Amino acid sequence: MIFATIEHILTHISFSIISIVIMIHFITLFFHEIVGLYNSLERGMIATFLSITGLLVIRWIYSGHFPLSNLYESLIFLSWSFSLIHMIPKIRNHKNDLSVITAPSAIFTQGFATSGLSTEMHQSTILVPALQSQWLMMHVSMMLLSYAALLCGSLLSIALLVITFRKNINLFFTRKNFLIKSFFVGEVEYLNDKRSVFKDTSFISFQNYYKYQLTQLLDYWSYRVISLGFTFLTIGILSGAVWANEAWGSYWNWDPKETWAFITWIIFAIYSHTRTNQNLQDIHSALAASIGFLIIWICYFGINLLGIGLHSYGSFTLTSN
């Protein structure tokens, strides 16, 4: 009873802290000079990470197994993974540019776990025989860490696509308006417009340089986070194959979860390949990562919704009974 109470308290503490962190983050977007708020944001994410870590440890102690046996526990671990990824830039003392992705992802994931699922799904249950293995921690933790990293990297790639296409659309309409003016407007007005264009050249150049720097930053972090996630995914699939051989007598059964995990691996293998080709970088790799974003949700959440296959332990149907 005491462990359940502590878990309940830690759940609300972590959710409250991450909610405050989100508000601080939006404030820092508009007021960059407030250094104290940025430091508070970082401390808040650390406090959230420690709270979720305590929650998982407490649940591990009183359940007797690593807390990755159902959808609720996996969502909490996914939220913990987002918080962990948030700490990555601190390792090399980089400015934390991942907070715009990791903080909202952590709060939405934990919010859905605590409020979107029924209370019955929050209860820890006895593991089914197939899950009573030392491979549970290795396989499932690697898969969830890979989902968190790949989702963050994919969101950064989507942001890169949005900025790039928006820049191209604005450039198209600017050229179109310039041609219309030069065709219909008199020479005097055209020259006046031309002078005003020269006046704004420095501002436009600054905007283009800022967008270039931003796209390069997004590309830099998306590649590194996706590379980390792809490594975790590969380890997770390989360890899952070994576990499947122990539990079911076969390394691969083309189960829906296995199939979609393999599709996810293929998509991000294509992403990695586009990064090695100079002509396919940036836009093409970002498109591959954007497709991967949808595939991950199908693999992780879609299969659980259907509750089919050998990996249906975390489905809505089984965990609500």
Side-chain angles (χ1 to χ4, degrees):
M1 184 63 183
I2 184 66
F3 289 120
T5 303
I6 296 174
E7 179 192 347
H8 184 74
I9 293 172
L10 288 174
T11 300
H12 284 81
I13 289 175
S14 60
F15 187 74
S16 300
I17 293 174
I18 196 67
S19 300
I20 296 172
V21 166
I22 290 294
M23 290 189 290
I24 294 175
H25 181 74
F26 282 120
I27 293 173
T28 55
L29 287 177
F30 297 100
F31 303 100
H32 298 282
E33 66 275 8
I34 305 179
V35 180
L37 283 179
Y38 182 80
N39 293 334
S40 298
L41 188 152
E42 292 301 313
R43 295 191 190 98
M45 286 302 295
I46 294 174
T48 300
F49 173 77
L50 294 176
S51 297
I52 301 177
T53 301
L55 188 159
L56 291 172
V57 171
I58 291 297
R59 195 174 181 91
W60 189 355
I61 292 173
Y62 81 79
S63 66
H65 59 78
F66 196 68
L68 286 174
S69 61
N70 57 32
L71 184 60
Y72 169 76
E73 293 176 348
S74 70
L75 284 169
I76 294 296
F77 190 87
L78 186 64
S79 180
W80 178 84
S81 301
F82 285 127
S83 302
L84 179 63
I85 293 172
H86 180 86
M87 311 294 176
I88 290 177
K90 291 294 183 182
I91 297 175
R92 295 187 177 181
N93 294 321
H94 287 299
K95 180 182 177 182
N96 199 339
D97 299 301
L98 295 177
S99 60
V100 69
I101 298 296
T102 53
S105 299
I107 188 174
F108 290 144
T109 305
Q110 189 173 356
F112 179 75
T114 54
S115 303
L117 301 178
S118 62
T119 54
E120 290 81 5
M121 302 179 82
H122 296 184
Q123 305 301 319
S124 179
T125 57
I126 299 175
L127 292 177
V128 297
L131 294 181
Q132 295 176 7
S133 170
Q134 297 298 324
W135 288 103
L136 173 67
M137 182 189 301
M138 178 67 175
H139 169 63
V140 184
S141 63
M142 287 295 103
M143 292 302 293
L144 289 174
L145 282 170
S146 72
Y147 291 159
L150 293 174
L151 286 171
C152 287
S154 298
L155 285 172
L156 291 171
S157 294
I158 292 172
L160 172 63
L161 286 178
V162 171
I163 293 172
T164 303
F165 283 122
R166 183 180 178 183
K167 180 174 66 176
N168 292 338
I169 291 172
N170 290 338
L171 182 61
F172 171 77
F173 282 108
T174 301
R175 288 179 177 176
K176 186 176 179 181
N177 290 335
F178 180 77
L179 290 173
I180 292 173
K181 284 184 178 181
S182 64
F183 186 80
F184 290 106
V185 181
E187 185 177 354
V188 176
E189 293 184 5
Y190 168 73
L191 292 174
N192 290 334
D193 289 341
K194 192 173 182 180
R195 291 192 193 98
S196 65
V197 168
F198 281 122
K199 290 179 182 179
D200 295 335
T201 300
S202 59
F203 177 70
I204 293 172
S205 299
F206 174 77
Q207 278 189 319
N208 291 335
Y209 177 74
Y210 176 77
K211 287 182 178 179
Y212 173 78
Q213 290 289 94
L214 181 59
T215 54
Q216 291 300 305
L217 188 65
L218 290 171
D219 186 63
Y220 172 87
W221 279 114
S222 63
Y223 173 62
R224 276 150 184 77
V225 176
I226 287 176
S227 298
L228 179 65
F230 185 70
T231 303
F232 286 146
L233 181 63
T234 303
I235 297 173
I237 290 176
L238 292 176
S239 60
V242 176
W243 187 11
N245 185 58
E246 288 186 4
W248 302 316
S250 175
Y251 287 100
W252 197 264
N253 300 281
W254 292 107
D255 179 73
K257 197 84 167 182
E258 294 175 348
T259 303
W260 281 101
F262 180 67
I263 294 172
T264 304
W265 189 90
I266 291 294
I267 293 295
F268 286 101
I270 293 172
Y271 171 87
S272 300
H273 173 70
T274 58
R275 298 293 310 186
T276 62
N277 191 327
Q278 196 70 25
N279 298 324
L280 296 178
Q281 286 186 8
D282 297 336
I283 301 300
H284 294 85
S285 58
L287 283 172
S290 301
I291 296 171
F293 179 80
L294 298 175
I295 300 299
I296 292 170
W297 282 115
I298 294 174
C299 179
Y300 172 60
F301 206 66
I303 303 301
N304 285 341
L305 275 173
L306 297 175
I308 57 176
L310 298 171
H311 292 75
S312 58
Y313 311 112
S315 68
F316 285 93
T317 305
L318 292 181
T319 53
S320 62
N321 289 339

